[in-house]
Amino acid sequence: MPLHMMLKKKHLSAGRVPLILFLCQLISALDVPLDSKLLDDLVQPPTITQQSPKDYIIDPRENIVIQCEAKGKPPPSFSWTRNGTHFDIDKDPLVTMKPGSGTLVINIMSEGKAETYEGVYQCTARNERGAAISNNIVVRPSRSPLWTKERLEPIVLRNGQSLVLPCRPPIGLPPAIIFWMDNSFQRLPQSERVSQGLNGDLYFSNVLPEDTREDYICYARFNHTQTIQQKQPISLKVISVDELNDTIAANLSDTELYGAKSSKERPPTFLTPEGNESHKEELRGNVLSLECIAEGLPTPIIYWIKEDGTLPVNRTFYRNFRKTLQIIRVSEADSGNYQCIAKNTLGAVHHTISVTVKAAPYWIVAPQNLVLSPGENGTLICRANGNPKPRISWLTNGVPIEIALDDPSRKIDGDTIIFSNVQESSSAVYQCNASNKYGYLLANAFVNVLAEPPRILTSANTLYQVISNRPALLDCAFFGSPMPTIEWFKGTKGGALHEDIYVLHDNGTLEIPVAQKDSTGTYTCVAWNKLGMAKNEVHLEIKDPTRIIKQPEYAVVQRGSKVSFECKVKHDHTLIPTIMWLKDNGELPNDERFSTDKDHLVVSDVKDDDGGTYTCTANTTLDSASASAVLRVVDVPNPPFDLELTNQLDKSVQLTWTPGDDNNSPITKFIIEYEDAMHEAGLWRHQAEVSGTQTTAQLKLSPYVNYSFRVMAENSIGRSMPSEASEQYLTKAAEPDQNPTAVEGLGTEPDNLVITWKPLNGFQSNGPGLQYKVSWRQKDGDDEWTSVVVANVSKYIVSGTPTFVPYLIKVQALNDVGFAPEPAAVMGHSGEDLPMVAPGNVRVNVVNSTLAEVHWDPVPPKSVRGHLQGYRIYYWKAQSSSKRNRRHIEKKILTFQGSKTHGMLPGLQPYSHYALNVRVVNGKGEGPASTDRGFHTPEGVPSAPSSLKIVNPTLDSLTLEWDPPSHPNGILTEYILKYQPINSTHELGPLVDLKIPANKTRWTLKNLNFSTRYKFYLYAQTSVGSGSQITEEAITTVDEAMASRQVDIATQGWFIGLMCAVALLILILLIVCFIRRNKGGKYPVKEKEDAHADPEIQPMKEDDGTFGEYSDAEDHKPLKKGSRTPSDRTVKKEDSDDSLVDYGEGVNGQFNEDGSFIGQYSESRPGNEQRWKLCGQEMEARTMGISSTNRNWRRTLDLNQEKNALCLMTSATPPVLQTTQVIVMNLEGSFKD
């Protein structure tokens, strides 16, 4: 029968609970849940929850506590048996039972002995539903006996013999732990030669003299009682063969020698186990320990194999220098033959151990509790295995089932009890006992027959919050008998949820494999059986996942700099994430250099230890997200160290060093420098470079140098500091291997030769006493070499030489050891003198007005008396051909390199007279000048006039004045003047040309347009052509008379007369109108006015006498509809209520000839007075130029003519001057338009 009850789970967020946790409830749900809602009225048979071990060894110095705890409903009562009979604890004053428990406490501290209470104890927990029993608990006190007294004789052995020191500890409970120490409680050293066996004996494969000592002591430690027992010390003396023979001769016969064996090398033999074969039996699940210890000389080595198999991986271990083979968690499959092999150089020996693995009983299927409802069926299965196979026996309520009360609902079939049609009286606790010769298993399993309606144990309205796209697990822990059927519903409508989308677990849990946003809602769990129904609502909310949208990135930074990691998180708006930074999966260092804000981690002043993996973790109550980045801290390498010079030869040495730390950036090369302490102390020079993988370098050396070396490492970041300097190494002196360079021979005077060279430095001297041998002779003669040895200088002067003669020169280095190799000869010259001859046959060819070509004949080479550097032309402007006036002579110079015999003279002045001469030049200076030659340049075009200005502008004329060109470059023939107008858009008009005589510097242009801008261009001209232009712009003046007429028209007499006539006519018209009004009109104007009230004419306010429409307080209001004149300058009826159309008889509302229209306004009434006043204000505003907007009238001065006439004819009372001003203003506007 399926399980009827489920444990209530602790509430967890469904999104974070692994599915396996819920499935495990099927195992833990074998008991009735001890929920407070059930325990009040739900009965349950007893269950043993805690008990003492089967083999219970107690400390005799403490009280005995035998545990027995059980649960059940009603709470069980407890009883004990001892050695198979009832143990009446009430009769023993030293024995008490803990309240609410079956645990016994035996007080032996005050009196009594532990041995008195040795025995086999068993606890029984009983209530109305049955009885559960504990294991048989064997109680024994621990024992730590002393060694028996014995006399131990000293042991004397010959070097190389084998030895076993026996321990034979007393038998204690539990067995003692054995170890060997000396009197100082120091453990004796063990090795492949000396080791302790599993039985505690100390084995020597062969003894050595250093094994001699008098305090080999075996100790036995009894952990249970925390005591250590000590054996009598054993004395061992190891002697050589000679010492042993002396001892025999003095005291013993040959036959009495102890352990007399040869100390020669020998093959191995086993000290333990004995013989070639042995047998070992071990129980399943224990540790199998096999031991082989051999003696021999040299010391044997032990090897292990399993015949017909391999040693199990991950369970095999070697102890005690491979002398012990251990296999943990041994099983039947580990049975077989194991072979140990002992080898040394002289042979090998084998021993086979046959291993048999037996097994105490172990469960295959342990019986499980059954909760059934009346009339149901069920089974209890008790299945165990072992070697030998265990026997299965059943008990009910602690009584063998064979003698228990008969129950018709059960049937026993070997290891199974079958229940059918159970009733409440079938409730009981059954015990299954599986036993063989190696032990037993005892299990309690109850059958509890209950009739209970469904109950849901999950709290009502539990809220589950789940991350989207993850499983949602909605809990519905339930209980009922018979087992309820569970159904789930979503919302208030719809049918039961099915397993095509959902997963319905046996424990009532509803699983939504992939929760989405639409999974949000209320879910109802319904549990029902034949006794009733229960339901519970839970709520599910789906949240957006937490994601890291900007992850920290891999960074490589130099030590001492700053690095920043960014971590941006996106999360559900209802969840608050907590951002945490980790370094190498641990907390950040407690260092102020580490700072964090919302999105960043900043590490300042980065150090080497800061390198590692930095992880940004965003945690919410439902999920988390993390991202990591690696920080690599780099820097220039640390300096190399441990510099060493080896293979020291005359001209080479090997330098070795140890690289420093590369600081996480591989070293690419090493730079080697040297210091010459003898010649350039403190100055380090480059010696060599090697790759970053080398740590040695073969260095070439120069003679007579006191070397020191240092090394620097370089990586991609930079170069390290230099290493410490190596030791100094002075090379032997040798003759120079090179001569001075830059040897030259140049005379400074006509009769000397100055020989110079670049001397060798001290490093190049190769030895002490550096000097130079200077040699010279004439190149073209047969003279012998003349030589002189000079000190370490760089110059030697040879006097009395002919002028400018070629010489061959040599400079050779030498020192105290010898001469440098023979140098090559260098050619030089003695001193130069000034040239003696001037160039001849100088000729000039004028190319154009600014360029001339000069030719000459070269001078004889011997007359140069030095290195020919070229020819130099001096030329100057002698006088002007136009003015014939002498000027200050300014000579110009042009030099032509080498042996050229012609050259060009550029930049000459046109129409000028020039003179020139030619000279030869050498290194000493110039020779004599040639005869002066003169030449003329032809005319050219002139330069632009020096200035141009416009004077005396008038209405139609402009006068131009200018200065002649500063460089006429010939005879001026005329000036050319061009001009053109420029309009208001800066466009140029037609161009006008004028030719002006050359003697003119002023010109007046007439008949120009007034108030017009003109642009002028002026050129000077010779017979060759026109020169450059000069430009200027000017404007003619304005016609002042016309401007005066336009401005002052209102002051003209004819205009004043016209205005007076108009005013008189208007006055007569007003008088006539006034007379007609007094006679009465024929139009009912008042009624029309009342019917068409003008919205712009409001009654006067009573309090301040102002017009309501024009109050200052209302100036900010927008225009009323119809108050603005349309753009087509007409007034529609709906736009103006006071149009004349409303008052006239005709279609267009014209005046009648008798003036009756105005007469209707002659009646004396308040409305007319207001209208007159308004018209007067409007006209006054127009006369003063006041914008009607400022009075909020929203009218323009071009108001419909009908209204203008209306205002004029209804304002008879204002002065005539006011009317005249309005008319004048309108006329002026018309004139201007």
Side-chain angles (χ1 to χ4, degrees):
M1 180 68 186
L3 186 65
H4 285 190
M5 54 200 73
M6 302 294 159
L7 279 180
K8 178 182 178 181
K9 297 200 323 283
K10 182 178 179 182
H11 170 70
L12 293 171
S13 172
R16 304 179 66 179
V17 178
L19 178 60
I20 191 170
L21 179 60
F22 290 92
L23 298 179
C24 286
Q25 287 190 358
L26 290 173
I27 299 173
S28 62
L30 297 175
D31 294 328
V32 174
L34 298 180
D35 187 271
S36 58
K37 294 181 290 185
L38 296 175
L39 292 180
D40 292 340
D41 55 359
L42 186 63
V43 294
Q44 180 182 357
T47 301
I48 301 293
T49 59
Q50 190 174 2
Q51 56 183 320
S52 293
K54 294 178 181 179
D55 191 7
Y56 186 26
I57 300 174
I58 62 172
D59 189 341
R61 299 169 299 177
E62 297 179 354
N63 289 335
I64 303 173
V65 178
I66 308 175
Q67 289 186 328
C68 179
E69 303 290 342
K71 66 179 180 179
K73 183 66 178 181
S77 60
F78 297 89
S79 62
W80 285 86
T81 62
R82 178 182 173 191
N83 297 327
T85 60
H86 176 68
F87 182 35
D88 191 352
I89 62 175
D90 294 333
K91 293 183 178 180
D92 192 338
L94 300 181
V95 181
T96 59
M97 185 182 297
K98 289 184 178 180
S101 166
T103 299
L104 295 181
V105 178
I106 304 174
N107 184 7
I108 61 173
M109 296 294 293
S110 57
E111 57 179 309
K113 294 182 179 181
E115 291 78 4
T116 306
Y117 294 95
E118 284 190 66
V120 180
Y121 292 79
Q122 188 172 45
C123 172
T124 301
R126 188 186 306 274
N127 68 8
E128 63 186 35
R129 287 274 165 159
I133 61 174
S134 69
N135 293 322
N136 288 326
I137 303 171
V138 180
V139 177
R140 294 181 296 170
S142 63
R143 299 180 179 89
S144 53
L146 300 175
W147 259 282
T148 58
K149 296 287 185 177
E150 59 180 334
R151 178 180 175 85
L152 299 176
E153 296 293 335
I155 300 174
V156 179
L157 288 180
R158 188 172 53 189
N159 182 21
Q161 289 183 289
S162 62
L163 173 65
V164 179
L165 295 181
C167 180
R168 293 190 287 271
I171 299 175
L173 188 67
I177 298 174
I178 306 301
F179 50 92
W180 288 81
M181 294 194 298
D182 57 16
N183 278 330
S184 301
F185 296 99
Q186 298 298 315
R187 285 186 178 267
L188 296 178
Q190 299 189 22
S191 62
E192 292 179 345
R193 186 178 63 86
V194 181
S195 61
Q196 178 183 314
L198 294 176
N199 62 357
D201 294 347
L202 190 62
Y203 293 85
F204 293 78
S205 295
N206 51 78
V207 294
L208 298 175
E210 56 262 31
D211 295 330
T212 299
R213 64 190 313 145
E214 297 180 350
D215 55 351
Y216 283 94
I217 305 174
C218 181
Y219 288 87
R221 184 175 67 198
F222 299 92
N223 284 342
H224 217 77
T225 57
Q226 296 295 313
T227 57
I228 296 178
Q229 304 295 348
Q230 173 182 336
K231 184 183 178 72
Q232 291 292 327
I234 301 175
S235 174
L236 171 63
K237 183 177 182 181
V238 180
I239 60 177
S240 64
V241 175
D242 294 337
E243 292 175 325
L244 189 60
N245 289 335
D246 293 342
T247 303
I248 293 172
N251 302 303
L252 303 172
S253 66
D254 290 344
T255 59
E256 293 176 329
L257 180 62
Y258 177 82
K261 290 184 180 180
S262 172
S263 62
K264 295 181 180 180
E265 292 184 348
R266 59 190 183 276
T269 57
F270 283 110
L271 297 175
T272 183
E274 298 177 351
N276 295 328
E277 296 181 356
S278 60
H279 181 77
K280 176 75 172 182
E281 186 176 282
E282 190 58 76
L283 291 181
R284 177 181 182 272
N286 289 350
V287 177
L288 172 64
S289 295
L290 305 179
E291 181 180 56
C292 284
I293 301 177
E295 63 90 16
L297 189 67
T299 302
I301 303 299
I302 305 297
Y303 301 91
W304 293 90
I305 61 172
K306 182 182 181 183
E307 297 178 1
D308 302 326
T310 58
L311 297 173
V313 181
N314 299 328
R315 294 192 294 117
T316 302
F317 300 93
Y318 298 98
R319 311 293 185 196
N320 197 20
F321 308 99
R322 297 183 65 89
K323 298 174 185 179
T324 302
L325 171 69
Q326 286 188 343
I327 301 177
I328 62 174
R329 301 188 301 276
V330 70
S331 66
E332 290 88 338
D334 296 322
S335 298
N337 293 329
Y338 292 80
Q339 193 176 87
C340 63
I341 305 166
K343 288 183 179 180
N344 68 6
T345 56
L346 299 181
V349 62
H350 304 260
H351 182 90
T352 301
I353 305 175
S354 177
V355 174
T356 302
V357 177
K358 298 293 184 177
Y362 57 91
W363 291 119
I364 296 176
V365 179
Q368 304 293 323
N369 295 334
L370 274 181
V371 178
L372 303 174
S373 59
E376 289 186 331
N377 305 326
T379 59
L380 283 179
I381 300 175
C382 177
R383 197 160 293 156
N385 200 1
N387 187 10
K389 188 171 182 64
R391 174 180 173 274
I392 303 297
S393 61
W394 289 95
L395 298 87
T396 177
N397 295 328
V399 177
I401 202 165
E402 296 81 6
I403 62 175
L405 294 176
D406 187 37
D407 184 352
S409 66
R410 72 171 177 245
K411 177 183 177 182
I412 301 175
D413 184 9
D415 59 6
T416 304
I417 300 178
I418 302 172
F419 297 93
S420 58
N421 192 23
V422 295
Q423 301 301 319
E424 193 169 352
S425 60
S426 301
S427 297
V429 181
Y430 290 84
Q431 288 82 34
C432 173
N433 187 303
S435 60
N436 64 12
K437 60 184 287 189
Y438 298 106
Y440 72 93
L441 292 174
L442 179 67
N444 291 277
F446 63 70
V447 176
N448 195 14
V449 181
L450 297 173
E452 293 289 333
R455 305 185 191 187
I456 295 179
L457 307 179
T458 299
S459 300
N461 295 314
T462 301
L463 175 63
Y464 294 88
Q465 295 179 330
V466 180
I467 298 298
S468 64
N469 296 321
R470 295 189 183 181
L473 299 169
L474 308 184
D475 187 17
C476 183
F478 64 90
F479 171 77
S481 183
M483 181 177 179
T485 299
I486 302 298
E487 289 184 323
W488 282 90
F489 300 86
K490 182 181 179 184
T492 58
K493 297 180 181 179
L497 303 180
H498 300 290
E499 293 199 4
D500 52 348
I501 300 177
Y502 303 90
V503 179
L504 303 176
H505 293 285
D506 292 340
N507 63 353
T509 298
L510 173 68
E511 178 184 357
I512 306 174
V514 182
Q516 302 290 341
K517 284 290 187 179
D518 57 4
S519 302
T520 300
T522 299
Y523 292 78
T524 303
C525 169
V526 178
W528 57 272
N529 63 14
K530 63 183 181 181
L531 301 178
M533 182 191 74
K535 65 178 181 178
N536 184 41
E537 288 186 351
V538 296
H539 307 283
L540 176 63
E541 291 181 356
I542 307 301
K543 305 293 185 181
D544 291 327
T546 302
R547 294 186 295 113
I548 296 180
I549 58 176
K550 182 64 183 297
Q551 299 185 358
E553 297 178 349
Y554 173 80
V556 179
V557 299
Q558 189 170 354
R559 181 169 50 197
S561 60
K562 178 191 290 187
V563 65
S564 176
F565 293 106
E566 185 177 8
C567 179
K568 288 190 176 180
V569 178
K570 184 177 181 181
H571 59 91
D572 192 279
H573 70 280
T574 62
L575 303 176
I576 300 177
T578 301
I579 308 298
M580 181 170 60
W581 288 89
L582 304 175
K583 179 181 182 294
D584 297 329
N585 295 324
E587 294 183 357
L588 291 177
N590 185 17
D591 192 329
E592 61 183 8
R593 296 181 300 107
F594 291 78
S595 61
T596 58
D597 58 17
K598 180 180 179 182
D599 298 327
H600 292 82
L601 166 66
V602 179
V603 185
S604 304
D605 188 20
V606 174
K607 302 183 183 301
D608 291 336
D609 295 340
D610 297 336
T613 301
Y614 289 83
T615 303
C616 164
T617 302
N619 294 309
T620 67
T621 55
L622 299 182
D623 67 341
S624 65
S626 63
S628 299
V630 174
L631 171 63
R632 188 159 67 95
V633 181
V634 298
D635 203 354
V636 298
N638 290 348
F641 55 94
D642 288 345
L643 273 65
E644 183 180 2
L645 297 177
T646 57
N647 298 335
Q648 298 177 354
L649 303 176
D650 289 346
K651 292 190 176 182
S652 69
V653 70
Q654 180 171 288
L655 175 64
T656 305
W657 63 90
T658 301
D661 192 343
D662 64 4
N663 291 322
N664 296 322
S665 181
I667 296 174
T668 55
K669 65 180 178 180
F670 292 99
I671 299 95
I672 304 170
E673 296 181 335
Y674 73 89
E675 177 196 28
D676 182 2
M678 182 183 301
H679 304 105
E680 296 176 327
L683 180 62
W684 290 90
R685 295 186 179 274
H686 183 271
Q687 172 74 24
E689 290 184 4
V690 298
S691 71
T693 59
Q694 291 184 231
T695 57
T696 61
Q698 194 72 25
L699 306 178
K700 293 183 179 180
L701 306 180
S702 295
Y704 198 57
V705 176
N706 194 8
Y707 281 99
S708 292
F709 299 97
R710 69 182 186 183
V711 184
M712 292 173 286
E714 187 173 295
N715 61 11
S716 61
I717 308 303
R719 185 174 294 184
S720 73
M721 295 294 292
S723 67
E724 295 289 333
S726 70
E727 60 180 310
Q728 291 186 345
Y729 177 51
L730 177 61
T731 55
K732 293 181 179 180
E735 65 275 4
D737 51 16
Q738 58 182 307
N739 286 302
T741 57
V743 177
E744 291 184 347
L746 294 173
T748 58
E749 298 295 336
D751 59 349
N752 74 1
L753 172 65
V754 178
I755 302 173
T756 60
W757 62 89
K758 182 180 179 182
L760 303 179
N761 57 35
F763 181 82
Q764 298 168 326
S765 66
N766 289 0
L770 178 64
Q771 293 178 306
Y772 300 100
K773 179 184 177 182
V774 183
S775 304
W776 68 92
R777 72 177 177 84
Q778 287 191 21
K779 178 177 181 294
D780 298 328
D782 296 330
D783 298 342
E784 296 292 329
W785 286 92
T786 302
S787 300
V788 61
V789 176
V790 298
N792 188 11
V793 294
S794 62
K795 182 172 68 173
Y796 181 77
I797 300 176
V798 181
S799 302
T801 62
T803 301
F804 196 65
V805 174
Y807 278 85
L808 294 177
I809 303 164
K810 296 189 293 185
V811 180
Q812 186 178 22
L814 69 153
N815 60 18
D816 294 348
V817 179
F819 286 86
E822 184 69 21
V826 177
M827 191 176 75
H829 285 82
S830 58
E832 298 178 86
D833 204 349
L834 293 176
M836 297 184 295
V837 178
N841 194 20
V842 177
R843 306 173 301 280
V844 180
N845 177 28
V846 178
V847 179
N848 56 39
S849 61
T850 61
L851 181 65
E853 185 177 15
V854 183
H855 292 261
W856 62 88
D857 292 340
V859 299
K862 288 188 177 181
S863 68
V864 178
R865 298 200 296 179
H867 295 286
L868 176 64
Q869 294 185 355
Y871 291 89
R872 189 169 292 160
I873 299 177
Y874 286 77
Y875 66 100
W876 61 93
K877 190 175 180 182
Q879 61 184 4
S880 173
S881 298
S882 60
K883 295 188 178 181
R884 318 297 294 180
N885 291 330
R886 290 188 174 274
R887 296 181 178 179
H888 173 70
I889 298 177
E890 180 184 353
K891 292 185 177 182
K892 297 182 180 180
I893 302 173
L894 276 179
T895 301
F896 299 92
Q897 302 292 334
S899 58
K900 292 186 66 175
T901 59
H902 67 278
M904 305 296 288
L905 300 181
L908 301 177
Q909 185 73 36
Y911 200 61
S912 301
H913 178 69
Y914 282 89
L916 62 81
N917 58 50
V918 184
R919 310 177 192 196
V920 67
V921 182
N922 66 10
K924 188 70 173 180
E926 297 177 351
S930 67
T931 304
D932 291 351
R933 292 296 303 269
F935 63 95
H936 292 272
T937 56
E939 282 188 289
V941 296
S943 63
S946 300
S947 66
L948 174 62
K949 58 184 178 179
I950 313 299
V951 298
N952 299 328
T954 65
L955 187 65
D956 58 355
S957 67
L958 292 171
T959 300
L960 285 71
E961 291 184 355
W962 64 89
D963 291 326
S966 57
H967 299 287
N969 295 335
I971 299 174
L972 296 181
T973 58
E974 61 185 357
Y975 289 99
I976 297 176
L977 174 65
K978 298 181 181 181
Y979 65 93
Q980 57 189 147
I982 304 174
N983 63 17
S984 59
T985 60
H986 302 286
E987 295 177 349
L988 298 175
L991 194 64
V992 179
D993 290 358
L994 287 178
K995 292 185 178 181
I996 301 173
N999 59 352
K1000 298 290 185 179
T1001 58
R1002 178 185 177 95
W1003 196 262
T1004 300
L1005 296 176
K1006 298 182 180 180
N1007 298 322
L1008 302 177
N1009 296 331
F1010 68 88
S1011 187
T1012 302
R1013 178 179 292 276
Y1014 286 89
K1015 186 170 185 176
F1016 301 95
Y1017 312 88
L1018 184 62
Y1019 307 82
Q1021 190 165 343
T1022 65
S1023 60
V1024 178
S1026 299
S1028 302
Q1029 69 179 18
I1030 185 171
T1031 63
E1032 186 60 79
E1033 293 184 10
I1035 303 175
T1036 56
T1037 59
V1038 180
D1039 189 345
E1040 297 179 357
M1042 181 176 293
S1044 176
R1045 287 194 298 271
Q1046 292 176 353
V1047 173
D1048 298 334
I1049 188 171
T1051 62
Q1052 302 302 312
W1054 64 270
F1055 182 73
I1056 296 174
L1058 176 61
M1059 292 300 101
C1060 291
V1062 172
L1064 181 60
L1065 289 175
I1066 291 174
L1067 178 61
I1068 294 172
L1069 180 59
L1070 292 175
I1071 294 172
V1072 171
C1073 291
F1074 181 77
I1075 294 172
R1076 295 288 295 172
R1077 187 190 64 176
N1078 290 337
K1079 292 180 180 181
K1082 69 176 183 178
Y1083 299 104
V1085 179
K1086 185 176 188 307
E1087 289 78 1
K1088 284 182 175 285
E1089 183 180 3
D1090 293 338
H1092 299 277
D1094 190 346
E1096 295 181 359
I1097 308 300
Q1098 299 297 333
M1100 185 179 295
K1101 296 180 182 180
E1102 297 179 358
D1103 52 351
D1104 56 3
T1106 61
F1107 294 101
E1109 178 69 24
Y1110 305 105
S1111 171
D1112 291 339
E1114 298 294 323
D1115 284 348
H1116 66 282
K1117 293 182 179 180
L1119 298 174
K1120 292 184 179 181
K1121 180 179 180 181
S1123 63
R1124 184 177 299 276
T1125 303
S1127 59
D1128 59 356
R1129 306 184 66 83
T1130 63
V1131 180
K1132 299 178 181 179
K1133 178 177 180 180
E1134 61 268 25
D1135 293 338
S1136 179
D1137 293 338
D1138 56 358
S1139 173
L1140 295 177
V1141 177
D1142 296 332
Y1143 296 96
E1145 291 181 342
V1147 175
N1148 297 321
Q1150 301 290 334
F1151 286 104
N1152 286 339
E1153 293 178 357
D1154 60 358
S1156 61
F1157 181 88
I1158 299 176
Q1160 296 186 49
Y1161 280 85
S1162 300
E1163 296 177 21
S1164 177
R1165 59 181 185 270
N1168 284 342
E1169 293 176 359
Q1170 290 181 1
R1171 189 174 297 275
W1172 297 341
K1173 188 171 182 177
L1174 288 173
C1175 288
Q1177 290 178 351
E1178 182 174 359
M1179 292 181 182
E1180 181 181 357
R1182 291 180 178 180
T1183 305
M1184 298 174 65
I1186 300 174
S1187 173
S1188 60
T1189 303
N1190 293 337
R1191 292 182 176 270
N1192 202 23
W1193 286 9
R1194 308 299 181 187
R1195 291 171 178 261
T1196 58
L1197 296 181
D1198 59 353
L1199 195 63
N1200 183 281
Q1201 293 298 322
E1202 295 176 358
K1203 287 198 173 187
N1204 285 339
L1206 178 60
C1207 285
L1208 287 173
M1209 296 177 183
T1210 57
S1211 302
T1213 55
V1216 176
L1217 180 59
Q1218 183 183 37
T1219 304
T1220 304
Q1221 288 176 339
V1222 174
I1223 295 174
V1224 170
M1225 181 182 69
N1226 289 335
L1227 288 174
E1228 282 188 24
S1230 300
F1231 179 79
K1232 290 180 180 179
D1233 292 338

